[in-house]
Amino acid sequence: MKLLPLALSLSALAFAPVAVLAQAPTPKPATTAQEPTKKRAPLKRSAAKAVEEVTPIEEDSSVSLSEADLAVAQRVYVGKIPCELGAAVEITPARRQGFFFVQVDKPRKTRYYMHPVESRTGAIRLEDPKRGALWLQLGNKSMLMSQKLGHRVADECMSPEQLTFADEMKRNPPRSLLEPLDPPPGVTPPAMPAPPGS
């Protein structure tokens, strides 16, 4: 009988290390090179601007231009075009026919790769769908709009040709849509009916 308690106590001692190991916390693996490193501090605005200026713009090769688009591209004013508030937009033809680099210098230097898009109004319209920008060239002024931000980046931009056109519009304003048309020569306009009670 004395052997049974002795056997039980010996077996308890034999299995004790196994029970302790089962309850012990598992050690954490050593750090490896695959773990994410600390995040870098964001670039200062001047450094980010310098990087953006030297980074080449991706040319979208999936866009194909029609003959009408190429005809519109020939009417785009190129060169440095002054805008309101001291801003300026510079338009230069790209290597690919009908495409343009459009760069604005204020509020910060930004570049776009644009191509003509058909317009029902007759205005010259260039778009950069990747960056969400639109250049709209009218007879008397042009503007650069950010469709992503929902506002104008540059407004009242006038090339020399547009400045001349705007001056001509001031000297000889176009007829208002609300004014009646002049009758053709030799046709007398119908008489206005007399107001009732006269």
Side-chain angles (χ1 to χ4, degrees), residues 5 7-8 15 23-24 27 46 57 66 72 82-83 87 89 94 96 106 108 120 122 143 168-169 187 198:
L8 287 176
F15 290 111
Q23 293 177 358
S46 59
I57 295 178
S66 67
V72 169
C83 305
V89 172
R96 190 170 170 202
K106 289 185 181 179
R108 66 185 193 100
R120 293 180 186 155
M143 62 198 82
E168 182 62 32
M169 282 180 68
V187 176
S198 57

Side-chain angles (χ1 to χ4, degrees), residues 171-184:
R171 280 186 265 127
N172 298 318
R175 171 178 242 137
S176 169
L177 294 174
L178 302 175
E179 291 180 26
L181 294 175
D182 289 335

Side-chain angles (χ1 to χ4, degrees), residues 87 104 106-108 110 112 143-146 149 151-155:
V104 63
K106 289 185 181 179
R108 66 185 193 100
T110 311
Y112 304 99
M143 62 198 82
L144 181 64
M145 294 179 276
S146 171
L149 301 175
H151 67 82
R152 293 180 186 180
V153 177
D155 199 6

Side-chain angles (χ1 to χ4, degrees), residues 5-82:
L6 183 62
L8 287 176
S9 60
L10 284 177
S11 65
L13 286 174
F15 290 111
V18 174
V20 170
L21 286 176
Q23 293 177 358
T26 56
K28 292 185 179 177
T31 57
T32 62
Q34 294 176 351
E35 284 188 18
T37 57
K38 291 182 182 179
K39 289 188 177 180
R40 294 182 184 177
L43 291 175
K44 291 183 181 178
R45 186 178 177 118
S46 59
K49 182 178 173 184
V51 169
E52 183 180 310
E53 288 176 7
V54 296
T55 303
I57 295 178
E58 265 184 54
E59 296 184 6
D60 189 358
S61 59
S62 66
V63 176
S64 59
L65 300 180
S66 67
E67 290 296 323
D69 293 334
L70 292 172
V72 169
Q74 292 177 358
R75 299 185 338 210
V76 173
Y77 297 130
V78 294
K80 193 165 189 174
I81 301 173

Side-chain angles (χ1 to χ4, degrees), residues 57 100-102 104 110-114 128 131 133 144 153:
I57 295 178
F100 298 89
F101 291 108
V102 177
V104 63
T110 311
R111 296 178 303 159
Y112 304 99
Y113 183 67
M114 298 189 153
D128 182 342
R131 291 165 196 83
L144 181 64
V153 177

Side-chain angles (χ1 to χ4, degrees), residues 137-171:
Q137 178 182 305
L138 305 173
N140 60 336
K141 68 174 185 174
S142 298
M143 62 198 82
L144 181 64
M145 294 179 276
S146 171
Q147 296 169 318
K148 284 186 179 176
L149 301 175
H151 67 82
R152 293 180 186 180
V153 177
D155 199 6
E156 298 289 330
C157 305
M158 292 188 190
S159 68
E161 296 89 347
Q162 289 171 311
L163 196 54
T164 303
F165 188 83
D167 287 341
E168 182 62 32
M169 282 180 68
K170 286 178 186 173
R171 280 186 265 127

